[in-house]
Amino acid sequence: MPLINFAKREITYKLVYYGTGLGGKTTNLKYIHGQVNQACRGEMISLATETERTLFFDFMPLELDLVNGFRARIAIYTVPGQEEYDLSRKQILRGCDGIIFVADSSSVRQDANLESLKNMRENLIFNKLKVEEIPWILQYNKRDLADAIPLETLQQNLNQAGVPYFEACALEGLGVFATLKAIIKEMVNRTRAPK
């Protein structure tokens, strides 16, 4: 459930990018941050170490048009892909309103994708959230790789739930905004007043 501030007439949605380490979560955020008008975005905070691209999360508030007379903000986070940061993943998922699962299309990363998807489901349960009740989308990233798994195989292995999916190459920005717009639409539609 989004955070609603009646005094400020503001709704804040929490969007989490989930997936394996080095799968493209941070690359998505960097591309979005670089393309969005400065008046509509906040500062991107990235916590990194020498060996890992994102240790904890990225946070980027993004402002949208009005929703039911309220200004809407999207707080975007990424989880660390490394297994040793599972506690951080659990914390970041707490209270999320939507998830983009970024799958690495490389043939050598398929087991890691499956493990990360399983971990996402377990961490949602830990937070007393049901994957069936939270909008989530699959983004098949790195589609430009020579060893990219065929789309049909990715769908068969990762999308038993039949959620919306997008092909992407986050480094080039391909599919990044299509994925983002689709999840935002799903999150906002859950809070709009019926017509």
Side-chain angles (χ1 to χ4, degrees):
M1 188 70 181
L3 179 64
I4 301 173
N5 184 325
F6 289 96
K8 291 184 176 181
R9 301 205 46 83
E10 186 175 88
I11 299 174
T12 302
Y13 298 91
K14 183 177 183 180
L15 171 60
V16 176
Y17 278 73
Y18 211 97
T20 66
L22 303 177
K25 302 177 300 292
T26 299
T27 305
N28 269 274
L29 259 68
K30 285 182 177 178
Y31 184 81
I32 293 164
H33 192 265
Q35 297 297 313
V36 172
N37 185 322
Q38 285 185 329
C40 298
R41 64 169 166 81
E43 181 180 346
M44 186 167 81
I45 300 167
S46 182
L47 303 175
T49 68
E50 281 182 26
T51 58
E52 302 297 340
R53 298 213 356 172
T54 305
L55 179 58
F56 291 107
F57 64 87
D58 300 308
F59 169 74
M60 183 187 71
L62 180 68
E63 293 194 16
L64 302 174
D65 293 331
L66 298 180
V67 176
N68 295 338
F70 285 70
R71 185 176 62 191
R73 297 182 75 211
I74 308 290
I76 305 174
Y77 296 79
T78 65
V79 299
Q82 300 75 29
E83 290 179 26
E84 59 267 28
Y85 299 115
D86 192 48
L87 183 58
S88 296
R89 290 188 224 161
K90 288 175 180 169
Q91 293 289 72
I92 293 167
L93 267 183
R94 181 175 289 153
C96 76
D97 299 300
I99 301 169
I100 294 175
F101 186 89
V102 181
D104 190 324
S105 293
S106 173
S107 60
V108 298
R109 301 293 289 161
Q110 291 316 292
D111 288 342
N113 285 330
L114 289 168
E115 184 58 37
S116 186
L117 188 59
K118 178 180 176 240
N119 179 259
M120 180 188 84
R121 291 176 184 274
E122 290 169 351
N123 286 341
L124 285 169
I125 291 168
F126 175 85
N127 281 299
K128 297 178 177 51
L129 299 169
K130 295 181 181 177
V131 71
E132 302 82 16
E133 295 175 2
I134 293 179
W136 69 285
I137 287 178
L138 275 161
Q139 181 191 76
Y140 299 124
N141 192 29
K142 302 185 182 180
R143 296 304 296 155
D144 59 324
L145 294 178
D147 73 334
I149 294 289
L151 180 62
E152 299 77 24
T153 305
L154 288 169
Q155 279 287 91
Q156 183 179 9
N157 292 340
L158 299 173
N159 199 5
Q160 287 84 20
V163 299
Y165 65 92
F166 294 85
E167 294 184 88
C169 177
L171 272 176
E172 298 174 16
L174 301 174
V176 171
F177 276 104
T179 307
L180 180 64
K181 287 177 185 176
I183 194 66
I184 288 173
K185 181 178 179 182
E186 287 197 34
M187 291 189 304
V188 169
N189 282 344
R190 289 178 183 242
T191 54
R192 285 197 191 275
K195 293 183 179 180

